[in-house]
Each structure stands twice: as C-alpha cells, then as structure tokens.
Amino acid sequence: MPTADKSTILLQRSSNFFSGFNKFEVQIDGRRQGTIANGKSERYSVTLGKHLVQVKDVNYKSEPLELNLSKGE
C-alpha cells in the first residue's frame, strides 16, 4: 500500500513458452531491483517523481519506460 511519499510499481509478465525458463532482471533508475519469472508479477516500492523502468535477460533489453508518479498513484 503506497504511503504519502511512496508509490508502487507493479510489473506483470505474461507466460511465454520460448523465454519461460529465463528470469527477467528488473532495473529501476539503472539499479537492479530483482527478477520477474515467467507468468508472475512483482511489486516495487519507489519514491514519488520520475523513474526509468527497464527489464532485460540474456537476449533482450527493453527500451526504458519513464514514469512520473504522483501522490496516490
């Protein structure tokens, strides 16, 4: 549950046979936050404001997604 100066980023990974055995590394603002497994979801608590979210594995690296989180998001 978000607090006054925090918010939550929820990432959901769909189930995929071809990359199912790979865990994707989650980076927020260029720092490793953990991994997300095939068909799973993960929550990350962050401060309010701008954040860059990116996922990657051995063969794939997403484009950074910029989020600008406000109070209550």
Side-chain angles (χ1 to χ4, degrees):
M1 179 69 85
T3 63
D5 60 342
K6 294 278 188 174
S7 193
T8 301
I9 295 174
L10 172 64
L11 296 179
Q12 294 177 305
R13 181 177 167 196
S14 61
S15 184
N16 183 314
F17 176 78
F18 294 105
S19 65
F21 298 106
N22 298 342
K23 287 188 177 179
F24 281 16
E25 179 180 305
V26 176
Q27 293 186 348
I28 299 176
D29 299 328
R31 292 185 296 272
R32 185 180 190 276
Q33 299 296 311
T35 59
I36 187 167
N38 191 32
K40 301 294 181 182
S41 61
E42 296 290 336
R43 293 179 185 271
Y44 300 95
S45 180
V46 296
T47 58
L48 301 178
K50 290 186 179 182
H51 296 283
L52 291 176
V53 179
Q54 194 169 25
V55 294
K56 66 179 187 174
D57 76 353
V58 175
N59 301 311
Y60 173 78
K61 186 174 185 178
S62 72
E63 291 293 321
L65 172 66
E66 184 176 306
L67 302 174
N68 190 4
L69 302 172
S70 302
K71 187 175 182 177
E73 290 185 300

